[in-house]
Amino acid sequence: MQRRRTGLIAVASALGMTATLAGCGGSGGSSEVTLKLVAADYGDSKANSSQRYWDKLAKEYEADHPRVRVEVSVYSWTDVDRKVKEMVAADDAPDLAQIGAYADYAAKGELYRVDDLLSIPVQANFVPQLTDAGETDRTQYGMPFASSTRLLFYNKTLFSQAGLTPPQTWSELAADAKALKSEGVKFPYALPLGPEEAQAETMQWLLSGGGGYTDDVGTYSIDSPQNIKTLTWLKDELVGKGLTGPVAPAKLNRADAFSAFTRGDVGMLVGHPTLMQKAAKKGVKFGMVPMPGIDGRAKATMGVADWMMAFRKNGHGKQLGDFLNFVYDDKNVLAFSREYDLLPVTASASEAMAADKNEQDLGPFLDQLPSSVLYPVGKTSWAGISADVKKQIARAVSSGGSPTGVLGKLQITATTQDSAA
């Protein structure tokens, strides 16, 4: 697993002081500078598009910095990573990109180091797990921008009708799923191993079994005994006994599983904070508990982060540093997190949200963050491995599939690609 430090860091008293510019290079003098930012859209309609958030933020910043303009282009998650890749390939890199991965650009020397941009208090204020995940070769290039953790959601109505309590162990989860099936529930446990996000569902289960994609020193350990045991249990105790629904895991995507939950057709599934709002709008009564483990609650849960990165090409280091210090002010971090039901990426904003009585529904997710484990995004090989997991992992739990064989092939590919990188 990726190395972890528990707890939120104490924020230096310097946070209350005016941030010192840590920029390097860039244009000086009085000429106007335009910073181009490409960002992902977290909204689901024009009314809550991330474009509105960024336009407001840019306007506020420009009001106090008349010689700096911030142009923001927002794209859907389907397009944004590809768009940035195309811009870089065309020698037209943006100044800033807020997307899903940074390691490839860092490995090619195309990004500013974070400590060349942010003031010391701002950089030190990131949640430790997210700082670690933003590092390549022990140097931080990725700045976390949005984060979330995962919990086990359950339908309270269905559980009540079946006389069940939320599971804390795998055996209890399987027993609950069996009881739900006997009550006619379509998806006793929804297991989305379709191509949309199979790598996430897989990672959550691997962690609950004491494994993960990497070991404690960051080496791929996909075919570890713990991981083989986990997928074997899933194959034999859930999928093989027909407890994962009428749709095969290989054909069930995360979005479809969430929709089924909001229709009342799912007893249990792993979800992130945005599912709360969707379920509440549909009138589904739900509860949330930490992911069950083999003998008790899982010791770690999956954390997810999206990344901000600054490209060196245009040489606007000083202006980028100043703007990013503004972006990561608690007021702005909290505004974005509240708008999209995400977790703050800074320690001080996390503490503020935890203390806010109006944000108590996010409390269980915040509680999971200190022990969360993120994808090994600091590895340039991860993007390819993630794609391979999406394509292959469902075969490991299907009828006639071999967890040992599938994980073994993924391990060989991961080792080879990591060595080449």
Side-chain angles (χ1 to χ4, degrees):
M1 295 179 195
Q2 196 161 337
R3 59 192 176 89
R4 304 192 296 273
R5 299 194 295 263
T6 57
L8 297 177
I9 60 170
V11 182
S13 60
L15 275 175
M17 302 170 63
T18 301
T20 301
L21 294 183
C24 66
S27 302
S30 59
S31 60
E32 184 175 282
V33 169
T34 297
L35 302 179
K36 295 182 179 181
L37 165 63
V38 174
D41 195 352
Y42 290 79
D44 54 15
S45 68
K46 187 175 180 180
N48 71 343
S49 170
S50 297
Q51 187 74 54
R52 297 184 63 181
Y53 171 83
W54 283 112
D55 287 347
K56 181 176 182 292
L57 197 71
K59 185 177 180 179
E60 290 179 5
Y61 182 77
E62 290 170 352
D64 290 330
H65 301 79
R67 296 195 177 278
V68 178
R69 296 183 61 235
V70 182
E71 292 183 357
V72 184
S73 300
V74 172
Y75 298 91
S76 71
W77 273 109
T78 304
D79 299 322
V80 68
D81 288 277
R82 174 183 55 79
K83 183 65 177 178
V84 172
K85 185 176 181 180
E86 290 173 351
M87 293 173 71
V88 173
D91 199 29
D92 187 31
D95 295 284
L96 293 166
Q98 187 270 299
I99 52 178
Y102 66 89
D104 282 349
Y105 301 116
K108 295 175 183 176
E110 295 171 332
L111 303 180
Y112 281 106
R113 296 163 50 115
V114 175
D115 57 12
D116 284 338
L117 296 169
L118 298 181
S119 67
I120 293 174
V122 172
Q123 185 179 6
N125 195 26
F126 288 129
V127 174
Q129 284 74 13
L130 305 182
T131 295
D132 290 349
E135 294 179 352
T136 295
D137 294 331
R138 299 185 179 182
T139 299
Q140 187 179 0
Y141 294 97
M143 291 163 277
F145 184 75
S147 68
S148 69
T149 55
R150 305 293 167 100
L151 293 170
L152 183 73
F153 282 67
Y154 65 96
N155 185 307
K156 284 187 173 182
T157 301
L158 298 178
F159 265 61
S160 177
Q161 291 172 350
L164 303 175
T165 56
Q168 296 188 34
T169 65
W170 286 359
S171 60
E172 290 176 3
L173 187 150
D176 286 351
K178 183 178 180 181
L180 290 167
K181 183 179 180 179
S182 68
E183 293 287 325
V185 177
K186 292 183 179 180
F187 295 87
Y189 178 86
L191 184 67
L193 295 180
E196 180 188 28
E197 207 187 24
Q199 84 287 358
E201 182 74 17
T202 300
M203 181 170 174
Q204 183 62 75
W205 276 98
L206 298 184
L207 291 172
S208 72
Y213 289 124
T214 59
D215 59 22
D216 289 335
V217 296
T219 302
Y220 282 117
S221 57
I222 297 174
D223 64 344
S224 69
Q226 297 95 321
N227 292 346
I228 292 172
K229 180 178 180 180
T230 295
L231 291 192
T232 300
W233 186 90
L234 271 176
K235 179 178 183 292
D236 294 343
E237 302 301 325
L238 288 186
V239 180
K241 293 183 177 179
L243 301 178
T244 55
V247 180
K251 296 182 179 180
L252 182 64
N253 282 320
R254 175 76 62 193
D256 296 329
F258 278 16
S259 294
F261 187 81
T262 64
R263 294 194 304 268
D265 292 338
V266 174
M268 298 172 281
L269 85 170
V270 173
H272 48 67
T274 57
L275 181 57
M276 294 189 299
Q277 189 178 91
K278 293 178 179 180
K281 285 181 178 179
K282 295 290 187 177
V284 175
K285 295 181 180 179
F286 63 90
M288 303 176 297
V289 294
M291 185 69 181
I294 299 175
D295 299 317
R297 289 179 174 175
K299 295 180 175 60
T301 189
M302 186 180 73
V304 177
D306 302 321
W307 303 96
M308 178 74 78
M309 62 210 71
F311 286 88
R312 299 171 56 88
K313 182 179 183 301
N314 298 320
H316 296 148
K318 180 177 181 180
Q319 292 83 2
L320 286 170
D322 190 50
F323 177 65
L324 287 167
N325 282 327
F326 174 75
V327 167
Y328 285 104
D329 181 86
D330 276 358
K331 174 176 70 71
N332 298 323
V333 172
L334 286 167
F336 187 87
S337 300
R338 287 165 173 158
E339 176 67 26
Y340 299 107
D341 281 335
L342 294 165
L343 304 184
V345 296
T346 63
S348 55
S350 295
E351 291 166 358
M353 180 173 278
D356 188 342
K357 294 181 180 180
N358 295 321
E359 302 289 348
Q360 294 306 300
D361 54 348
L362 285 171
F365 294 96
L366 281 168
D367 291 342
Q368 295 290 298
L369 193 56
S371 62
S372 66
V373 181
L374 280 75
Y375 297 129
V377 291
K379 290 178 172 289
T380 57
S381 58
W382 169 243
I385 301 307
S386 176
D388 287 343
V389 171
K390 291 180 182 181
K391 294 176 184 177
Q392 301 178 37
I393 201 65
R395 292 192 292 107
V397 300
S398 63
S399 177
S402 168
T404 300
V406 171
L407 292 178
K409 290 180 180 179
L410 287 169
Q411 177 66 32
I412 292 172
T413 301
T415 301
T416 301
Q417 292 188 11
D418 201 38
S419 298

